[in-house]
Amino acid sequence: MAANPQQSPLSGFARALVQAGRLKEAEAESLLAQASAKKTSLIEQVVSAKKATFLELARFAADKFGFPLLDLAAFDDANILKNAIDRKLIATHRVVPLHKRGNRLAIAIADPTNLRALDEIRFQTGLAVDPVVVEENKLGPLVTKLSESTEETLRSFSTEEINLEFSDEQAQDKADEAASLDVDDAPVVRFIQKMMLDAINEGASDIHFEPYEKSYRVRFRTDGILREVAAPPLVIKEKIASRIKVISRLNIAEKRVPQDGRMRLVLSKSRSIDFRVSTLPTMYGEKIVLRILDPTSASLGIDALGYEPDQKAVLLDAIHRPYGMILVTGPTGSGKTVSLYTCLNILNRPGVNIATAEDPAEIPLPGINQVNVDDKAGLTFPVALKAFLRQDPDIIMVGEIRDIETAEIAIKAAQTGHMVLSTLHTNDAPATLTRLMNMGIPTFNLASSILLITAQRLVRRLCTCKRPLDTPVETLLNAGFTESDLDGSWILYGPGECDRCKGSGYKGRLGLYEVMPVTEAIQRIIMANGTELDIAVQARKDGVNDLRRSGLLKVKQGLTSLDEVLGSTNA
């Protein structure tokens, strides 16, 4: 008597084949046992037994379970979301992430009844999963290719390619510690290297390793937004911290106070990436942040930064003056360093002597004398500046004006035939002048030495998937647009969704700038002890766009969204 499919102990794909009359129950059980013994899939065993072809089984699964059918041969491998899910899941469950739309992730899979695979992907990504049925014989090579490329990448970034550059007195001890870690903790080494490589490939600016009471997470800051990318086991938190501290020449035994260091990852003979390392003791272990210092960012050129043509002209005129001071202001992470380095690159010529004092020097610049200040050793900003003035400098860059002594020496240098560039942490250009007045700098010195102040912010750039928005006129007027702006000659865009931007609608960042030359009218306001508001009003009369207006121009050009500008500037 034939077995009743409804009473069959089989489940999933095997049960569906029995129910459809394509296999007998005994055949299905035998093929399942063979698949388990050979560590292959039921689908491969069915095809090997000549019960069906891969295409027939794919069509059956799509029809039976109501999922779309895709021919992988017609799918461009370059569009695969390689980093959407863990590579281990790809290899274990033989699945491939195809594309993402909103909060839904399409997964190529030969057996859509593999609920365990779908549940694990759903749990890891937090996304709804949409299975897309494909032929097993076309899926297998793609899974193998993705898995092998990951292993090759990890092998290519062996620890030998990380330039440790230990100081002489520490070299032997540190090398011994590093060697023991390499042997005992190879998975930790590979994990750290993979995080560094993924961050570089993604264009991230920072990597955060964060321990908590019952969990551990790794986050990347990409385009200014932090995103969790991994959750390694909590038990390896000490090994991660120790490994990073060894490479960075930090004290492994010291876990009670913050430490700062550097490491270098060599990508090829012609390119390497430096990382600035910062450790911070927290309640549950040491949090470590790696700042990625890509030297190519300083050589992009001024046109890549986002200055408007008139702003660029004013800035270039100022930096080519023989002497005076130029200040760049903005919050941490607003791109001040890249702006200063870009100006230094423009000025860096064989006949010019340039010296910088930084804390620390983030990007090596050939032809420029860069000094790391060290307060513990007594090499402070004022000490470095006094030494620079005895070194016959033409151009001086001070990483940051933090106190009145540094400000006074920098202004003295600007008044005695040197070009001085520096930064301050203020909200806008007019506030910079009042801040210096409040520090105690005489107004006469400010008026006679400062040539230009530029304030800046970074906003996310719209991806190519941007879409037009229909926004009420009142909203645009409230944002700062004028009636003349709303002439219908431009389109307001908002973020879209695509694989390139991973559904965020943004890819990369650009700067918003307030470039304020210190004109004679502003000098008179400074000399009269004018307020920040007085300076701002005069700057607008001089034609200076504030940060909000600069942002609105970027919106009109379709480069960023109105929400980004409103979120980063004050009206």
Side-chain angles (χ1 to χ4, degrees), residues 204-225:
S205 60
D206 301 87
I207 310 172
H208 292 238
F209 295 88
E210 302 173 313
Y212 296 94
E213 183 178 11
K214 297 180 180 179
S215 63
Y216 193 97
R217 70 177 178 181
V218 181
R219 294 191 291 174
F220 293 168
R221 184 179 294 280
T222 307
D223 296 336
I225 305 297

Side-chain angles (χ1 to χ4, degrees), residues 334-562:
S334 60
K336 299 188 299 295
T337 300
V338 171
S339 294
L340 284 177
Y341 279 21
T342 299
C343 291
L344 290 178
N345 266 331
I346 294 172
L347 298 171
N348 188 14
R349 297 292 181 267
V352 178
N353 179 20
I354 303 177
T356 73
E358 304 168 73
D359 184 22
E362 295 190 356
I363 300 174
L365 296 175
I368 293 177
N369 307 289
Q370 295 174 274
V371 174
N372 283 329
V373 301
D374 186 345
D375 291 342
K376 292 182 180 178
L379 181 55
T380 60
F381 278 119
V383 170
L385 278 174
K386 289 177 182 177
F388 288 169
L389 294 176
R390 295 189 291 270
Q391 292 271 316
D392 185 31
D394 297 300
I395 299 168
I396 296 172
M397 194 268 272
V398 185
E400 181 185 348
I401 294 179
R402 299 175 178 173
D403 52 60
I404 187 170
E405 185 179 6
T406 305
E408 286 176 339
I409 300 172
I411 287 175
K412 178 182 177 182
Q415 292 174 329
T416 55
H418 306 92
M419 172 58 68
V420 180
L421 291 80
S422 189
T423 70
L424 272 174
H425 285 96
T426 57
N427 289 326
D428 54 29
T432 304
L433 290 169
T434 55
R435 166 78 183 279
L436 289 169
M437 292 181 201
N438 293 335
M439 287 175 65
I441 304 298
T443 55
F444 173 80
N445 287 338
L446 292 179
S448 62
S449 60
I450 298 179
L451 300 175
L452 178 139
I453 302 171
T454 174
Q456 62 184 74
R457 298 289 189 277
L458 288 178
V459 294
R460 290 183 292 172
R461 185 188 294 267
L462 284 170
C463 180
T464 52
C465 63
K466 62 186 179 182
R467 54 188 177 83
L469 295 181
D470 186 13
T471 305
V473 173
E474 293 78 10
T475 301
L476 299 177
L477 292 173
N478 289 336
F481 286 108
T482 64
E483 294 284 356
S484 60
D485 289 328
L486 307 180
D487 56 5
S489 63
W490 54 278
I491 299 173
L492 179 71
Y493 287 99
E497 291 182 3
C498 72
D499 294 340
R500 181 172 179 266
C501 62
K502 299 182 179 179
S504 70
Y506 299 93
K507 189 69 175 177
R509 290 195 287 178
L510 75 157
L512 307 182
Y513 301 94
E514 177 184 26
V515 180
M516 186 185 81
V518 178
T519 60
E520 291 184 3
I522 291 179
Q523 287 178 340
R524 285 193 291 269
I525 294 173
I526 295 172
M527 293 293 293
N529 290 309
T531 65
E532 178 182 330
L533 181 59
D534 295 332
I535 297 171
V537 170
Q538 182 58 48
R540 303 304 164 256
K541 291 179 181 178
D542 293 337
V544 175
N545 287 330
D546 61 13
L547 290 167
R548 170 61 64 86
R549 184 62 190 170
S550 294
L552 296 180
L553 290 176
K554 294 291 189 293
V555 172
K556 289 180 66 176
Q557 295 163 15
L559 298 176
T560 190
S561 68
L562 183 59

Side-chain angles (χ1 to χ4, degrees), residues 72-349:
L72 274 180
F75 189 80
D76 187 357
D77 293 357
N79 294 327
I80 291 175
L81 300 179
K82 297 180 178 65
N83 298 317
I85 61 176
D86 189 89
R87 301 297 178 88
K88 192 173 182 179
L89 277 182
I90 292 176
T92 302
H93 295 300
R94 298 176 71 78
V95 294
V96 171
L98 295 176
H99 58 79
K100 178 176 173 288
R101 292 289 184 270
N103 67 338
R104 309 195 71 84
L105 181 66
I107 296 292
I109 189 168
D111 179 4
T113 66
N114 187 350
L115 300 182
R116 180 182 173 188
L118 301 178
D119 286 342
E120 286 191 25
I121 295 170
R122 189 179 298 112
F123 176 76
Q124 186 188 90
T125 64
L127 302 172
V129 176
D130 295 327
V132 176
V133 179
V134 297
E135 298 157 73
E136 174 73 28
N137 61 327
K138 294 179 180 177
L139 179 64
L142 188 53
V143 168
T144 302
K145 178 182 176 183
L146 291 177
S147 301
E148 287 179 349
S149 66
T150 302
E151 291 303 315
E152 289 171 3
T153 298
L154 291 177
R155 284 196 295 269
S156 69
F157 279 79
S158 65
T159 54
E160 294 178 353
E161 290 186 291
I162 297 181
N163 186 358
L164 304 180
E165 295 185 353
F166 298 123
S167 57
D168 293 339
E169 65 272 15
Q170 294 177 316
Q172 189 58 52
D173 292 341
K174 294 293 186 180
D176 291 342
E177 293 174 33
S180 65
L181 282 169
D182 289 349
V183 173
D184 300 335
D185 303 313
V188 173
V189 173
R190 288 195 298 271
F191 173 75
I192 294 172
Q193 291 168 349
K194 183 180 186 302
M195 291 296 99
M196 295 166 72
L197 175 62
D198 287 350
I200 292 169
N201 289 337
E202 189 175 304
S205 60
D206 301 87
I207 310 172
H208 292 238
F209 295 88
E210 302 173 313
Y212 296 94
E213 183 178 11
K214 297 180 180 179
S215 63
Y216 193 97
R217 70 177 178 181
V218 181
R219 294 191 291 174
F220 293 168
R221 184 179 294 280
T222 307
D223 296 336
I225 305 297
L226 277 171
R227 177 177 64 87
E228 184 172 343
V229 295
L234 184 61
V235 293
I236 69 171
K237 66 177 183 180
E238 298 292 345
K239 293 181 178 180
I240 289 177
S242 295
R243 175 62 188 173
I244 293 175
K245 289 165 76 173
V246 162
I247 304 173
S248 309
R249 295 186 292 177
L250 301 179
N251 185 351
I252 297 178
E254 181 57 77
K255 302 178 182 179
R256 299 166 299 175
V257 297
Q259 297 186 68
D260 295 304
R262 293 176 76 95
M263 68 169 72
R264 173 171 295 173
L265 187 62
V266 179
L267 302 180
S268 66
K269 292 182 179 179
S270 60
R271 188 186 179 203
S272 62
I273 302 291
D274 284 342
F275 293 80
R276 189 176 72 196
V277 182
S278 173
T279 71
L280 179 69
T282 70
M283 288 179 62
Y284 304 109
E286 287 182 285
K287 173 177 177 175
I288 300 177
V289 176
L290 307 185
R291 166 64 60 87
I292 301 173
L293 308 174
D294 189 349
T296 59
S297 63
S299 58
L300 292 175
I302 194 169
D303 292 325
L305 299 183
Y307 286 96
E308 296 295 331
D310 58 330
Q311 294 176 331
K312 173 186 169 183
V314 171
L315 178 61
L316 290 177
D317 175 68
I319 66 173
H320 284 101
R321 300 277 188 90
Y323 57 88
M325 178 181 284
I326 294 173
L327 296 173
V328 180
T329 183
T332 302
S334 60
K336 299 188 299 295
T337 300
V338 171
S339 294
L340 284 177
Y341 279 21
T342 299
C343 291
L344 290 178
N345 266 331
I346 294 172
L347 298 171
N348 188 14
R349 297 292 181 267

Side-chain angles (χ1 to χ4, degrees), residues 4-20:
N4 184 353
Q6 299 298 329
Q7 302 302 317
S8 171
L10 300 170
S11 62
F13 204 84
R15 180 180 180 185
L17 290 171
V18 171
Q19 287 178 335

